[in-house]
Amino acid sequence: EAGVAQSPRYKIIEKRQSVAFWCNPISGHATLYWYQQILGQGPKLLIQFQNNGVVDDSQLPKDRFSAERLKGVDSTLKIQPAKLEDSAVYLCASRTFYDTDTQYFGPGTRLTVL
Amino acid sequence: AQTVTQSQPEMSVQEAETVTLSCTYDTSESNYYLFWYKQPPSRQMILVIRQEAYKQQNATENRFSVNFQKAAKSFSLKISDSQLGDTAMYFCAFIPNAGGTSYGKLTFGQGTILTVHP
């Protein structure tokens, strides 16, 4: 079974530029999560999707961050415009609807904002 | 709100020895799940072990076992026969099983860096 795929693995941008991350969850996983992990800290949930609907985006900075999950499969997370404090690893995770506790993580995208 | 605390920023152990990582949590929920995740330098977050709060028996997975003390809200991870490949950041995490939008929302601790020395 293929795992959660993410791209790119690394991204370096200047502040005020835009960036987008892509995630492909494990096949059949209805629930998808985006986390932000600042260096030396645990991941923090940004947004949770159930199929193509948003379940929880309470910690997403909506003035600059947006996410979508068209057709309930792949997802993109966008930052526009980026700030220095957005430098972090962005992790995508997924789980099945029935295995409702265990999340499986992708390798993450390391973003550096200069 | 739930909180997860890992009080050991860094730990080290000699290869083949045993090490225990500590985790405490705070919640008013009665039913929940606890996890230990491992994150090596490659950044891939890997599930090590999970524990269901309603089960009194401590979970074990090969060399990994937990000591779950529900009343004390403590959930420590014991790694036996440590191997070089165990070197990683270890995160304790919590999910309430309370329905609603909090269902499936992981809360992580700050992490413990474990280094296994040859």
Side-chain angles (χ1 to χ4, degrees), chain B residues 12-19 63 78-87 114-118:
Chain B
S12 63
V13 65
Q14 293 296 126
E15 197 174 8
E17 293 187 344
T18 296
V19 64
R63 299 182 294 108
K78 186 172 82 171
I79 306 174
S80 303
D81 186 26
S82 298
Q83 300 176 0
L84 296 178
D86 295 334
T87 293
L114 175 67
T115 303
V116 181
H117 297 285

Side-chain angles (χ1 to χ4, degrees), chain B residues 39-58:
Chain B
Q39 189 177 41
S42 66
R43 302 197 306 269
Q44 184 85 45
M45 194 77 77
I46 302 164
L47 178 65
V48 174
I49 197 165
R50 63 190 284 270
Q51 174 79 42
E52 297 163 79
Y54 64 88
K55 289 187 176 180
Q56 293 185 336
Q57 186 174 5
N58 289 323

Side-chain angles (χ1 to χ4, degrees), chain B residues 1-6 23-29 32-34 72-75 92-96 105-110:
Chain B
Q2 291 80 24
T3 59
V4 178
T5 303
Q6 295 177 247
C23 173
T24 58
Y25 58 96
D26 187 25
T27 183
S28 58
E29 304 287 346
Y32 47 86
Y33 301 91
L34 292 161
K73 295 180 180 175
S74 171
F75 182 62
C92 179
F94 169 100
I95 293 182
K105 178 177 179 179
L106 270 171
T107 299
F108 286 87
Q110 304 93 318

Side-chain angles (χ1 to χ4, degrees), chain A residues 30-105:
Chain A
T31 308
L32 184 147
Y33 307 82
W34 283 102
Y35 290 87
Q36 180 191 58
Q37 185 179 18
I38 293 173
L39 184 65
Q41 298 181 17
K44 181 187 78 171
L45 179 70
L46 291 175
I47 189 167
Q48 176 184 347
F49 290 94
Q50 181 70 26
N51 294 311
N52 61 349
V54 175
V55 173
D56 184 352
D57 63 356
S58 58
Q59 297 193 82
L60 186 74
K62 298 180 185 65
D63 57 334
R64 298 183 300 105
F65 286 66
S66 64
E68 61 182 8
R69 192 183 183 197
L70 300 176
K71 301 180 181 178
V73 182
D74 294 5
S75 177
T76 56
L77 175 70
K78 297 178 181 178
I79 307 175
Q80 180 180 11
K83 293 185 175 181
L84 296 178
E85 58 261 36
D86 298 332
S87 293
V89 174
Y90 291 85
L91 295 166
C92 180
S94 70
R95 66 167 170 84
T96 67
F97 181 79
Y98 298 102
D99 181 11
T100 51
D101 54 279
T102 302
Q103 299 181 22
Y104 299 89
F105 285 80

